[in-house]
Amino acid sequence: MSATPCSLMRTVLLCLAAEALNFACVLLFRDALCVPLFADTVGTVAATFCAGLVPGLVVAILFNVLRALELSVAGGGALYPWDMLYALSGAAIVLCTWAFSRKRENFCMNGTVTVLYLVLIALVSAFASSIVGGAVEAMNRRLFSGMVYTSPTEHFVRAFLGEQLGLPVACVIARIPVSVLDRLVCTFSGFGVYRLAAQKGGPHCG
């Protein structure tokens, strides 16, 4: 059955709100407070819980495209389309979140079960996004050798490169500790936003 115009509009508004939340978290925690986390998927997780796989993927992919454009304009430099490939890492997070959140009854048993499910989502999505994001980062480093990175994983990458692990392995392993903490923060925060939206009768949330 096709979506009604009203349902489609509510989904669009949900995605826009989630996108705005992602940017707000990045601007506050990464750009203003310099917290060493990615902090860019709170809205993505909330959208996935609220509306499912496709809206979550839309938010994840669109964020990385818009973020790359924003950094290019703000820095007055060239646009690197390869940076948009980090959307694949966001897509991996959405897939992991959706896989464990399809059965809403699992989150209605008790607080302990809910916490355990959220921790499971955070850990699985952390390793998935580390593998995908590490592969993209390794490719970018090879394409733009000598490029100065300011990502939360930069010091870890340099340390692991010193251990002669090889660039792809170093980029993947370096993302794991940051990603685990980031996923825990963003998964629990995104779920909290989802529950708040559900209580307020937000679009698709319930």
Side-chain angles (χ1 to χ4, degrees), residues 38 122 126-127 129-130 153 174-184:
F38 299 109
F127 283 97
S129 63
S130 293
T153 65
R175 296 178 78 88
I176 292 176
V178 175
S179 292
V180 169
L181 180 57
D182 180 77
R183 296 313 321 135
L184 285 169

Side-chain angles (χ1 to χ4, degrees), residues 11-180:
T11 301
V12 170
L13 292 175
L14 169 69
C15 291
L16 292 176
E19 209 69 79
L21 180 57
N22 281 343
F23 274 96
C25 289
V26 170
L27 291 173
L28 175 62
F29 295 108
R30 282 180 59 180
D31 297 345
L33 300 179
C34 298
V35 176
L37 294 175
F38 299 109
D40 57 4
T41 57
V42 175
T44 302
V45 171
T48 304
F49 271 110
C50 278
L53 178 62
V54 175
L57 289 173
V58 169
V59 173
I61 294 171
L62 185 59
F63 171 80
N64 285 273
V65 173
L66 294 177
R67 179 65 172 170
L69 293 171
E70 176 202 357
L71 292 175
S72 175
V73 173
L79 172 66
Y80 295 102
W82 296 109
D83 283 346
M84 297 180 185
L85 287 178
Y86 284 109
L88 296 175
S89 181
I93 291 170
V94 171
L95 287 170
C96 294
T97 303
W98 173 78
F100 289 99
S101 66
R102 289 178 298 167
K103 295 183 178 180
R104 301 296 177 86
E105 60 270 19
N106 292 334
F107 296 89
C108 300
M109 297 179 183
N110 57 62
T112 301
V113 173
T114 297
V115 169
L116 290 175
Y117 263 104
L118 292 176
V119 170
L120 180 61
I121 291 172
L123 293 178
V124 173
S125 62
F127 283 97
S129 63
S130 293
I131 293 172
V132 176
V136 173
E137 183 171 352
M139 182 194 68
N140 279 344
R141 285 175 182 267
R142 290 196 186 280
L143 287 174
F144 307 106
S145 58
M147 180 176 178
V148 177
Y149 281 76
T150 57
S151 74
T153 65
E154 174 61 19
H155 294 299
F156 290 108
V157 173
R158 292 185 182 276
F160 286 120
L161 283 175
E163 298 295 331
Q164 305 299 317
L165 293 178
L167 183 60
V169 175
C171 288
V172 170
I173 295 178
R175 296 178 78 88
I176 292 176
V178 175
S179 292
V180 169

